[in-house]
Amino acid sequence: AQKVTQAQTEISVVEKEDVTLDCVYETRDTTYYLFWYKQPPSGELVFLIRRNSFDEQNEISGRYSWNFQKSTSSFNFTITASQVVDSAVYFCALSEMNRDDKIIFGKGTRLHILP
Amino acid sequence: DAGVIQSPRHEVTEMGQEVTLRCKPISGHDYLFWYRQTMMRGLELLIYFNNNVPIDDSGMPEDRFSAKMPNASFSTLKIQPSEPRDSAVYFCASGVTSALGTDTQYFGPGTRLTVL
């Protein structure tokens, strides 16, 4: 069965520090998508990134970067030089391409950026 | 382009009443998903449609919940009768088929339901 584990339920860092959010997944499939979503205090879910299992290249988008390692089944998310606006709950998610169309979400990590 | 639209944004009702939540997916998207989010259970997939056809409703908690998608631009989630434990934020999301299944899901703003 597919499963997504975000072991860190809550993290607090001081503004401008770097922070990494961990995500470990389980799947029987060799083809799958991984996602990160952000849920700010306003409540909406904002798509951040999608990565397919064929592409292990790490990605950087501004202060955000993602480290995908199939060997450890991890898809970690790093925010560099964090800002107060980064405070949110971040969800990692998994979708098995050839099995069904569901996305399974982790429980989320609540990130507090302290001024 | 408008994103996923949900209405109402907030709903307060009394136990036993019927509640109908509405969703308009992004134009051109052929998948539509209904989720429920609570503190205790996190994000749960309730049901999803592909080309207006329900594909998997195994996440629907019980017979009090029903969902329809009469056309490509509209879906409803109905709870009848509602109970206090149904209080949650209900999200609708839409997505488009890629070569290997659904692509990214884009979420609406959610409906915060409170059942007294």
Side-chain angles (χ1 to χ4, degrees):
Chain A
Q2 55 179 335
K3 183 179 176 182
V4 177
T5 301
Q6 295 180 253
Q8 306 149 306
T9 55
E10 200 159 347
I11 302 174
S12 295
V13 300
V14 177
E15 196 173 18
K16 298 183 183 177
E17 289 185 355
D18 300 346
V19 58
T20 296
L21 309 182
D22 298 333
C23 174
V24 175
Y25 61 92
E26 296 177 27
T27 177
R28 292 172 290 180
D29 274 9
T30 57
T31 53
Y32 49 89
Y33 283 125
L34 293 164
F35 303 82
W36 276 94
Y37 283 85
K38 173 182 180 180
Q39 188 173 38
S42 52
E44 72 272 24
L45 276 155
V46 179
F47 164 75
L48 295 179
I49 190 173
R50 182 197 73 208
R51 173 67 72 212
N52 74 57
S53 52
F54 301 120
D55 183 2
E56 283 194 76
Q57 192 171 14
N58 291 331
E59 180 151 343
I60 298 175
S61 176
R63 297 183 296 105
Y64 294 173
S65 61
W66 290 269
N67 183 359
F68 176 29
Q69 293 198 347
K70 290 179 75 170
S71 60
T72 56
S73 296
S74 65
F75 186 44
N76 296 338
F77 173 32
T78 296
I79 302 174
T80 304
S82 60
Q83 299 176 2
V84 172
V85 293
D86 297 326
S87 297
V89 180
Y90 290 86
F91 292 94
C92 180
L94 165 72
S95 174
E96 294 172 331
M97 295 179 191
N98 298 321
R99 190 171 304 278
D100 57 35
D101 307 301
K102 297 178 185 178
I103 289 184
I104 302 299
F105 284 82
K107 295 293 186 185
T109 297
R110 184 174 297 276
L111 177 63
H112 300 276
I113 308 298
L114 308 173
Chain B
D1 285 341
V4 176
I5 299 172
Q6 290 186 248
S7 64
R9 294 294 306 278
H10 302 273
E11 177 79 33
V12 180
T13 190
E14 292 187 344
M15 183 173 63
Q17 297 298 307
E18 177 180 297
V19 175
T20 299
L21 311 182
R22 297 173 177 80
C23 176
K24 177 179 170 57
I26 294 172
S27 177
H29 284 191
D30 53 357
Y31 280 89
L32 185 138
F33 303 80
W34 282 100
Y35 289 87
R36 177 172 68 176
Q37 185 178 33
T38 62
M39 289 293 292
M40 292 296 294
R41 301 174 67 91
L43 266 167
E44 302 173 277
L45 177 64
L46 300 177
I47 185 172
Y48 74 95
F49 297 82
N50 179 225
N51 291 320
N52 312 338
V53 176
I55 303 300
D56 186 344
D57 65 354
S58 60
M60 297 285 261
E62 48 197 275
D63 292 345
R64 298 184 297 105
F65 285 70
S66 62
K68 295 182 179 179
M69 191 164 187
N71 57 61
S73 58
F74 184 65
S75 176
T76 60
L77 177 68
K78 185 177 293 187
I79 308 172
Q80 166 62 20
S82 58
E83 297 182 3
R85 60 193 168 119
D86 301 331
S87 298
V89 179
Y90 290 81
F91 286 101
C92 175
S94 70
V96 65
T97 302
S98 69
L100 296 173
T102 46
D103 208 291
T104 305
Q105 292 180 19
Y106 294 91
F107 283 75
T111 295
R112 182 174 295 277
L113 174 64
T114 302
V115 183
L116 304 174

